[in-house]
Structure formats: C-alpha cells, structure tokens
C-alpha cells in the first residue's frame, strides 16, 4: 500500500506533484504543512507531529485527524513515516521534504537510508528532482541525458557503474560532492559494489 507524506519544507508547485497530493489514497501531513493544503481544498488523512506549528484554527478544524507524538528524539517526517508503517503502508512518496532550512533538507534526505529498512520503496520528490535509495547491486530506470548524482553514506565503499557518462570503477565516494553531476547514457544504469548491500542515495534531476 502506498502513502504520500507531506513534510513542512518548501511546498511543491509542479502540477505533477500537486496531483500526487490530490490523488493520494492516504495523505499524512507533518504538523504545520497542512496550511498549504487549505487553498487547494485537499483534505489530509492524518496530521502528525508534536503539533507545535499548526494554528489553533486548523487544530480545531482537524481535531479528529491529529496524531500527537510528543517525543523529540525524531523529527516530524520520521514520526509520520513510522506511523504509516504501523498502519501497513510499505511504499512512500514524500513531498515538501526539501527547501527552506538546509539542515532540515540534509537530515530528511539522510533518513531515506533508514526508511528503506522498513518498506519496499521510498522516494523524496521536489519540483527539481527525485531522491531514491537503493542497495547494491541495483538497476535504476532513467532517461538518456538525465542528470544523476550519487551519494554514499559509507565513505569506504567502492562502487562500479555502467551506462553513466562518467563511469565509476571501484571508486569510493567519501564526500557527497564526489558523486554529483553525472549523466545517464541510456534508459537505465547499474551500480554494483565490492560488498553487496551498500546503501546509495540517488538524485535524478528533472528537466525544465
């Protein structure tokens, strides 16, 4: 089952992403992000978080849909994700997780490497691109000429690629800048590693 999660970062403006919100069978909204849905007439399924950034008016309007999680060891995106997992959802599209505060953006992207251990698939989508998470070996669908960036959370892992403009040959990616600004040469590309199961976060830049 698929859930859409709306975090409280930059609200998407792309019609494609707005349609993701409209078409969601289950839409979990992180705290104050619900305010963005009001003008679009989109109803959340639940509103999750410590509820410190939702107005009193919206708190009253959606009183039956509030899930108040007080603990402060995780952020609202994690709270929303694990609440959805507890309901049986195993595929996720996350919107509004980037933009605004850069520290929140980096934190949210890094969480993909945790979330993938609890679900079949999870992606972060923005107006500019898509972050997905994969464990090696992996084959990723792409478009020829699509801009690709690779991010490893293990600085010693060695990766090898096929069908990328700048091939990786047993190459480590010790800092996040090392794997950026690559390009897909075909409708898919493959990544392997010397040790199977290495986690990669892959960014595909949307054409504008």
């Amino acid at each position: 089952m698929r859930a859409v999660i709306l975090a409280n970062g930059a609200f998407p403006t792309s019609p494609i992403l707005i349609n993701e919100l409209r078409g969601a069978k289950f839409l979990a909204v992180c705290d104050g992000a619900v305010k963005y849905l009001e003008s679009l007439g989109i109803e959340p399924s639940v509103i999750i978080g410590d509820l410190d950034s939702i107005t009193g008016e919206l708190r009253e309007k959606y009183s039956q849909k509030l899930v108040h999680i007080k603990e402060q060891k995780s952020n609202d995106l994690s709270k929303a994700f694990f609440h959805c997992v507890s309901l049986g959802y195993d595929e996720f599209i996350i919107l509004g997780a980037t933009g605004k505060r850069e520290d929140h953006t980096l934190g949210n992207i890094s969480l993909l490497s945790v979330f993938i251990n609890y679900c079949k698939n999870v992606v972060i989508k923005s107006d500019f691109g898509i972050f997905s998470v994969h464990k090696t070996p992996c084959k990723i669908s792409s478009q020829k000429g699509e801009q690709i960036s690779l991010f490893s959370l293990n600085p010693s892992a060695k990766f090898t690629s096929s069908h990328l403009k700048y091939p990786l040959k047993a190459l480590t990616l010790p800092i996040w800048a090392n794997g950026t600004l690559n390009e897909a040469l075909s409708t898919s590309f493959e990544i392997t590693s010397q040790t199977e199961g290495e986690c990669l976060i892959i960014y595909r830049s949307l054409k504008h």
Side-chain angles (χ1 to χ4, degrees), residues 49 179 200:
L200 268 178

Side-chain angles (χ1 to χ4, degrees), residues 154-159 170-174 178:
N154 180 357
S156 62
K158 294 182 179 181
F159 299 96
L171 186 68
T172 60
L173 303 173
N178 291 145

Side-chain angles (χ1 to χ4, degrees), residues 47-107:
I47 301 169
I48 301 174
D50 54 20
L51 306 181
D52 62 349
S53 58
I54 184 173
T55 65
E57 180 182 353
L58 291 177
R59 187 192 294 260
E60 182 176 351
K61 178 178 179 178
Y62 294 112
S63 60
Q64 300 303 309
K65 297 186 176 184
L66 299 179
V67 178
H68 189 190
I69 303 175
K70 295 181 179 180
E71 61 90 2
Q72 297 295 318
K73 293 182 180 179
S74 61
N75 65 8
D76 286 344
L77 177 56
S78 292
K79 294 171 184 176
F81 174 83
F82 286 110
H83 179 78
C84 291
V85 168
S86 73
L87 297 177
Y89 291 94
D90 57 5
E91 294 188 55
F92 296 87
I93 295 173
I94 301 172
L95 307 176
T98 61
K100 293 187 177 179
R101 284 183 56 170
E102 289 86 355
D103 53 346
H104 286 177
T105 294
L106 289 172

Side-chain angles (χ1 to χ4, degrees), residues 6 11 30-31 59 65 88 91 101 124 129 136 140 148 155 159 164 166-167 183-184 202:
L6 176 64
F11 189 73
C30 296
D31 213 333
R59 187 192 294 260
K65 297 186 176 184
E91 294 188 55
R101 284 183 56 170
I124 290 175
T136 58
I140 297 96
I148 305 292
F159 299 96
L164 289 178
Y166 307 108
E183 184 177 313
I202 297 178

